[in-house]
DNA sequence: ACAACTATACCGTCTAGCCGGTACAGTAGT
DNA sequence: ACTACTGTACCGGCTAGACGGTATAGTTGT
């Protein structure tokens, strides 16, 4: 023994990450307004003092979330580039809410941007720029790439709006396949 | 005389509308969080008591805004249907921020939806449904109509994010014309 | 000894909503 | 013509609670 386990004190997921998870979750589920320090601490099962030990202020919490989002998005750009079914297929299919860490972080970031946080707006703009760049490389025509990015953005808002319904209907796998077929008509070859 | 005028008491724009304008403006410029009752009253140059005379609660204020949005969107659906340059052209060109009353009301509604207000989500969903229906009538293929709607949605978020820059670059008139040309490739004939 | 917390008590500010009061226009009875 | 009253459109002050943040004393595992 010695080196590991013990009780829950060598936690599967560190408190700092649990706090960011809770912050994200509250932003996604209840919007900017519900993501208060008290609520975040409670959702992470940590005292308010404990939260402020890890993040000295709400700004620091926002910075932490945006940093994690940026890192996840950087990984994702690589996934898009190297996707077996091609970048466009991958981008479109992951533009509906998948529940992936990036997905949740991205929506949380959007909430902050809607609250006009300039840091959040900047990070989201940069992420979009990277995605666009990957699609441009794959598609060659900038106008077409732009249109594909817009469809991806549209899927995001759309699934954000319809999330409460249990059968999103427009976002089934079959619907995505049909949509990708339509997009295929945009391409020259 | 007798029936009208008097002093400034027959105001150019009624206080009730000025309050809704102020609420909208604050939502658009500063997000849900900044649109407090105090701020709305101040922006409309009305006391808080005056605000609460017209709208008994914040919920009532939200209802008022959503009702106005719904009415504007109903008019707009007709404008799209009868647009000289065609529904698709009109929809795409008015999906960037034009500063029109509908434009501002729609963005304000989006902010409320992001705050997870179910009424706002329902109204926005319904508006989108109407737009989609018009495009479907114009385009005949539902999948293509869906893709066009997504591009329209994408333009909205996009210009929401880039609003602070003064030269949006992707939303110039020329860029819109190129985008519409790309969309033209989606259509059969 | 140290890091990683918990628990509790505050503080100043903001927020939603309530309430009493005011000004004034119109109406109705006498 | 005067009085009494009603309805509309506000003002400004108030309160209870939420919020971000500070502080501090104590606990627990390594």
């Amino acid at each position: 023994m010695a080196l590991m386990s013990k009780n829950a004190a060598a936690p599967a997921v560190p408190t700092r990450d649990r706090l960011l998870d809770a912050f994200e979750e509250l932003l996604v589920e209840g919007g900017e307004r519900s993501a208060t320090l008290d609520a975040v601490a409670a959702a992470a099962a940590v005292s308010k003092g404990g939260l402020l030990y890890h993040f000295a202020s709400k700004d620091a919490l926002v910075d932490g979330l945006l940093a994690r989002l940026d890192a996840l998005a950087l990984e994702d750009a690589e996934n898009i580039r190297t996707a077996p079914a091609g970048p466009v297929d991958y981008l479109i299919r992951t533009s509906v809410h998948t529940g992936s860490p990036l997905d949740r972080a991205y929506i949380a970031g959007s909430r902050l941007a809607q609250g006009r946080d300039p840091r959040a707006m900047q990070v989201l703009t940069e992420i979009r720029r990277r995605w666009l760049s990957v699609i441009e490389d794959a598609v060659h025509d900038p106008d077409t790439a732009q249109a594909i990015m817009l469809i991806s953005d549209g899927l995001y808002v759309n699934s954000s709006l319809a999330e409460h319904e249990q059968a999103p209907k427009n976002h089934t796998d079959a619907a995505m396949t049909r949509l990708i077929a339509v997009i295929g008509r945009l391409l020259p070859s």
Side-chain angles (χ1 to χ4, degrees), chain A:
Chain A
M1 44 205 60
L3 272 180
M4 259 217 46
S5 74
K6 259 265 306 198
N7 59 355
V13 35
T15 302
R16 205 190 119 96
D17 288 328
R18 282 195 356 256
L19 285 165
L20 289 179
D21 289 344
F23 187 34
E24 252 179 38
E25 188 70 10
L26 284 163
L27 282 171
V28 172
E29 294 301 320
E32 201 200 351
R33 206 133 196 211
S34 72
T36 67
L37 294 187
D38 282 315
V40 171
V46 165
S47 71
K48 194 176 175 180
L51 191 169
L52 288 163
Y53 172 79
H54 288 285
F55 300 98
S57 70
K58 200 171 191 186
D59 266 11
L61 195 57
V62 170
D63 284 338
L65 187 137
L66 291 177
R68 202 169 72 166
L69 167 57
D70 202 53
L72 285 168
L74 211 52
E75 280 179 42
D76 187 63
E78 204 45 38
N79 289 344
I80 298 180
R81 201 183 301 273
T82 61
V88 174
D89 186 286
Y90 182 97
L91 178 75
I92 295 299
R93 286 187 195 278
T94 57
S95 290
V96 297
H97 291 195
T98 57
S100 70
L102 171 60
D103 197 33
R104 293 192 306 124
Y106 188 83
I107 299 163
S110 303
R111 305 281 192 235
L112 294 174
Q114 230 86 19
R116 317 301 290 167
D117 186 309
R119 293 163 295 171
M121 292 172 81
Q122 203 209 313
V123 169
L124 289 188
T125 303
E126 173 63 14
I127 290 173
R128 268 188 41 83
R129 206 194 50 71
R130 282 202 292 255
W131 281 340
L132 177 60
S133 162
V134 175
I135 298 299
E136 273 176 347
D137 287 351
V139 156
H140 298 303
D141 176 47
D143 290 336
T144 306
Q146 178 74 17
I148 291 170
M149 271 305 297
L150 289 173
I151 289 174
S152 164
D153 291 340
L155 283 169
Y156 250 104
V157 263
N158 222 341
S159 55
S160 214
L161 229 59
E163 201 182 3
H164 51 314
E165 304 164 24
Q166 53 202 26
K169 179 194 168 202
N170 292 329
H171 301 147
T172 60
D173 203 60
M176 284 305 106
T177 304
R178 290 206 311 280
L179 177 60
I180 290 165
V182 171
I183 293 171
R185 273 190 262 150
L186 289 173
L187 307 173
S189 100

